[in-house]
Amino acid sequence: GENVEQHPSTLSVQEGDSAVIKCTYSDSASNYFPWYKQELGKRPQLIIDIRSNVGEKKDQRIAVTLNKTAKHFSLHITETQPEDSAVYFCAASIMDSSYKLIFGSGTRLLVRP
Amino acid sequence: DGGITQSPKYLFRKEGQNVTLSCEQNLNHDAMYWYRQDPGQGLRLIYYSQIVNDFQKGDIAEGYSVSREKKESFPLTVTSAQKNPTAFYLCASRFTGGWDTEAFFGQGTRLTVV
């Protein structure tokens, strides 16, 4: 079955610096890759996603890149702010009738003021 | 107020007892999921269901059971066979009109075995 690995488990950056979180997936049939942000005590919420037919997607300070050949995708946050501090999860979904959605182990991002 | 609701927020259970966690959604989503969240282990899939009266085991289904009798509801039972049930449980739902749809999460239930 699908397996998603996520690194690093924790990441500490200075405010204004960039942060990069990387994920790899095992099933080449995966074709949808969302990223979720979970603030302390709150539910995970979608922040950005990418389809397998796209190599990169940007939304203001966040971007996601996908390398299908290497089966990895990354989240990039530029000009980090303290409110970016949270746990970030990557996920992968296969385009079949199961709609199975597998998450990575999460990255705790701390942005130091 | 549309969305996905889990209850209760906190739940305490004695060892050897079964307990059922509720998950209800009014988003008209066909797919529903149960995840377990432990520190450092991310969101691990317990069970998922694409349609009423059908569901599949996820990666850590042992010691858990589910039912999907109604589209809106996907209750999770933590049985006495689950060896380490203390955890945070998240329910999610997703529209199945396309394969690239967003999953919406409930606020979670924190289960503690005492």
Side-chain angles (χ1 to χ4, degrees):
Chain A
E2 173 66 284
N3 182 51
V4 177
E5 293 190 0
Q6 182 172 347
H7 300 281
S9 57
T10 60
L11 180 59
S12 180
V13 300
Q14 193 70 38
E15 182 178 359
D17 288 348
S18 296
V20 180
I21 302 171
K22 299 181 179 181
C23 290
T24 59
Y25 59 98
S26 60
D27 194 330
S28 57
S30 292
N31 50 19
Y32 173 60
F33 307 94
W35 285 87
Y36 285 77
K37 175 183 181 181
Q38 186 180 30
E39 297 178 356
L40 189 62
K42 296 188 177 181
R43 69 191 77 188
Q45 291 191 307
L46 180 72
I47 54 171
I48 196 168
D49 56 17
I50 191 166
R51 283 75 174 168
S52 59
N53 58 348
V54 175
E56 183 176 2
K57 181 178 179 181
K58 291 183 179 180
D59 183 5
Q60 299 183 340
R61 295 187 297 107
I62 60 173
V64 58
T65 59
L66 172 65
N67 183 326
K68 287 176 59 178
T69 303
K71 292 192 284 188
H72 67 70
F73 55 113
S74 300
L75 178 71
H76 304 254
I77 306 175
T78 59
E79 300 174 15
T80 53
Q81 301 168 3
E83 51 265 39
D84 294 329
S85 296
V87 178
Y88 292 81
F89 294 99
C90 62
S93 184
I94 300 172
M95 183 179 70
D96 63 14
S97 59
S98 74
Y99 285 89
K100 190 175 183 180
L101 184 62
I102 298 298
F103 284 83
S105 54
T107 296
R108 183 173 298 278
L109 174 65
L110 174 64
V111 180
R112 307 186 305 273
Chain B
D1 185 23
I4 181 165
T5 302
Q6 291 184 241
S7 62
K9 189 173 182 179
Y10 298 97
L11 189 57
F12 295 88
R13 188 197 93 177
K14 292 184 179 179
E15 281 193 33
Q17 289 182 339
N18 293 353
V19 63
T20 298
L21 283 58
S22 171
C23 179
E24 303 276 335
Q25 54 97 3
N26 61 5
L27 301 169
N28 200 32
H29 288 170
D30 284 299
M32 296 188 74
Y33 308 79
W34 275 104
Y35 293 92
R36 170 175 171 148
Q37 185 173 18
D38 296 285
Q41 297 198 53
L43 303 176
R44 292 186 291 167
L45 184 62
I46 305 172
Y47 269 97
Y48 60 108
S49 167
Q50 311 96 314
I51 198 169
V52 174
N53 294 322
D54 192 23
F55 48 82
Q56 285 74 41
K57 293 182 179 180
D59 299 322
I60 58 165
E62 185 176 352
Y64 300 97
S65 67
V66 294
S67 63
R68 188 82 188 278
E69 298 177 359
K70 299 187 301 182
K71 185 176 185 177
E72 303 80 17
S73 179
F74 191 41
L76 173 73
T77 297
V78 184
T79 75
S80 57
Q82 169 51 234
K83 296 180 180 179
N84 185 21
T86 295
F88 188 59
Y89 292 87
L90 282 163
C91 179
S93 71
R94 198 175 168 204
F95 178 57
T96 55
W99 47 267
D100 55 352
T101 56
E102 177 180 356
F104 292 86
F105 284 85
Q107 74 272 36
T109 293
R110 186 166 297 281
L111 173 65
T112 303
V113 175
V114 296

